[in-house]
Amino acid sequence: MRACVHGVFLVSVLLTSFSNLGRLPVTILRPTGAMQLIPWEVYELLLTPGGMFAFQCVMVVSLAASAAGYLTPYTTKSSALLVLFYQGLLRSFGHFNHDEMLGVYYLVVLAFTPCGDGFSIDSLKGRARRRADGFAYGYPILLMRVLLAWVYFSSALIKLRVRGLDYLSADTLPVLAIVNSLDNLHETQFRLAFRLPEFLSLTPMAVGLVLAWELLFPLAVWSRRARWWLLGAGVLFHLSTLVLMNIFFPHQLAMYLVFVDWPAFVRRLKGRRSHL
């Protein structure tokens, strides 16, 4: 999971033009929350094409090292801190997106757990030590699974608290889809949202199924039988939000890997190699 989570953020950073962000005038920056504690002089030095490129290079080095498991106790913490600062910087420009937030929580969990004792450069070099107590490796996985379940469950609770049963009305899905497809943050690449008013008799059922899936998602933490049905429904849900609302959650989908039984996967892989 350490390699997966840090690897996802590494790819994301590599595919992002930090220099373009550095061309934005620093005067439009509105630091939020803890970002207000950072001296303004730091932002003036950082928010230049050269400053942001240097910041990107530091993030790449840290995330690459933590993904590979090199000096894991230190690089996982530096990666979590750098990504948290970067996310705060984006939101200080008015950007709003919660796709990466679950991954940020995972980075914080991994920063304070023994995630470099196996499948890492540290373990190959003998820097890491295996703990006899499996609880040290089990509880972070359980915590990350609970965090993922809470994201969906709380989303359903908020919908019910704000709208109640009115959320199940026929207009909810078409309005959400069309508004998100036409807002100024997304290019209108998909036009299926504009066909939804033709199916108003079915949209309450679709909304109800999504609401039920979110409320039932905590079962994925405890029930292996229900887990793969719920995760499969999650993949379909996020693909549908892409084509209906131009909203995608690649970071959150990648975090589904926390439900993979990696020791069993490795055992099966070794078994197949032995047969060959």
Side-chain angles (χ1 to χ4, degrees), residues 167-171 173 199-209:
Y167 186 77
L168 299 174
S169 70
D171 295 328
L173 180 57
F199 304 95
L200 290 181
S201 60
L202 299 177
T203 54
M205 184 184 303
V207 172
L209 287 173

Side-chain angles (χ1 to χ4, degrees), residues 22-204:
R23 291 187 175 91
L24 294 174
V26 70
T27 51
I28 68 173
L29 188 71
R30 296 294 182 271
T32 60
M35 301 294 289
Q36 297 177 1
L37 302 176
I38 299 175
W40 194 260
E41 291 77 10
V42 174
Y43 292 123
E44 291 179 334
L45 290 173
L46 181 63
L47 288 171
T48 62
M52 288 304 298
F53 178 73
F55 179 54
Q56 182 180 23
C57 291
V58 172
M59 288 189 71
V60 167
V61 171
S62 180
L63 286 166
S66 55
Y70 180 68
L71 297 176
T72 311
Y74 308 103
T75 55
T76 52
K77 292 179 177 61
S78 64
S79 293
L81 185 61
L82 288 168
V83 170
L84 191 61
F85 174 80
Y86 173 59
Q87 293 296 323
L89 186 64
L90 291 179
R91 281 151 183 79
S92 296
F93 279 110
H95 168 81
F96 176 79
N97 182 24
H98 50 269
D99 168 40
E100 307 94 342
M101 292 315 299
L102 180 66
V104 174
Y105 293 147
Y106 280 17
L107 289 176
V108 175
V109 172
L110 292 168
F112 297 95
T113 53
C115 60
D117 294 353
F119 196 68
S120 65
I121 294 176
D122 288 345
S123 63
L124 294 176
K125 292 189 173 184
R127 289 197 183 100
R129 62 181 182 88
R130 296 290 297 180
R131 291 159 174 79
D133 184 8
F135 180 77
Y137 307 111
Y139 86 85
I141 296 296
L142 176 61
L143 177 57
M144 288 189 282
R145 290 178 178 180
V146 169
L147 283 170
L148 178 55
W150 176 248
V151 165
Y152 291 120
F153 185 75
S154 62
S155 174
L157 290 182
I158 291 172
K159 293 169 185 173
L160 292 174
R161 181 176 64 85
V162 174
R163 293 281 305 277
L165 294 180
D166 289 342
Y167 186 77
L168 299 174
S169 70
D171 295 328
T172 297
L173 180 57
V175 169
L176 284 173
I178 292 173
V179 167
N180 281 285
S181 294
L182 291 178
D183 70 12
N184 59 3
L185 295 179
H186 304 93
E187 296 179 4
T188 309
Q189 304 175 45
F190 306 99
R191 301 183 180 275
L192 289 180
F194 308 105
R195 302 291 305 274
L196 287 176
E198 302 174 17
F199 304 95
L200 290 181
S201 60
L202 299 177
T203 54

